[in-house]
Amino acid sequence: MEYKVSKNKKNIVIFHILCTFNNIIITLSDIKGNSIYWATASSVGFKGFKKSTPYAAQTAAEKVGRYAYDKNFKEAKIFIKGGGAGRDHAIRGIFNCGVDILSISDVTTTPHNGCRVKKARRN
């Protein structure tokens, strides 16, 4: 499916960044949530422990950012999730491609009551 840019309507896209401790997944979607393009640190060419580095996150983000810029998606919102090392570098990679960032939202889930306590040991 090819996305066309209309002249009288603003084209705003959403970057979903999932930054885990082992990998990073960056998905480009439209306002309705339909996925347009995606990249991971693995798909860019990093293997093993190098996938979880900030440089791998920035490289994957630049790949998706370049695609968005080439398709004339100039404005974007960012939803970032997870606690990995490449969170800030992924945002920087998108910004370096020339995409204007309208908002950055952290949607990381937080536990509200913690884990269940282990049973006491019987003697």
Side-chain angles (χ1 to χ4, degrees), residues 18-95:
L18 175 61
C19 196
T20 65
F21 293 108
N22 295 323
N23 203 354
I24 185 161
I25 303 167
I26 301 168
T27 308
L28 177 69
S29 68
D30 58 4
I31 291 294
K32 295 177 184 175
N34 301 321
S35 178
I36 299 171
Y37 192 74
W38 62 271
T40 63
S42 307
S43 69
V44 177
F46 293 94
K47 301 217 184 252
F49 67 91
K50 294 180 184 174
K51 290 189 298 186
S52 60
T53 60
Y55 179 68
Q58 185 174 357
T59 308
E62 285 175 353
K63 181 178 179 182
V64 179
R66 263 188 260 113
Y67 179 85
Y69 190 79
D70 291 342
K71 297 293 181 184
N72 289 329
F73 296 122
K74 305 291 184 194
E75 295 179 340
K77 294 180 181 180
I78 295 177
F79 293 129
I80 189 159
K81 185 176 192 177
R87 291 167 51 103
D88 300 333
H89 290 274
I91 295 170
R92 193 172 299 134
I94 294 169
F95 182 74

Side-chain angles (χ1 to χ4, degrees), residues 13-17 76-81 87-95 99-108:
V13 290
I14 300 173
F15 286 92
H16 299 276
I17 302 171
K77 294 180 181 180
I78 295 177
F79 293 129
I80 189 159
K81 185 176 192 177
R87 291 167 51 103
D88 300 333
H89 290 274
I91 295 170
R92 193 172 299 134
I94 294 169
F95 182 74
V99 178
D100 294 331
I101 298 172
L102 299 177
S103 67
I104 300 171
S105 301
D106 188 7
V107 291
T108 306

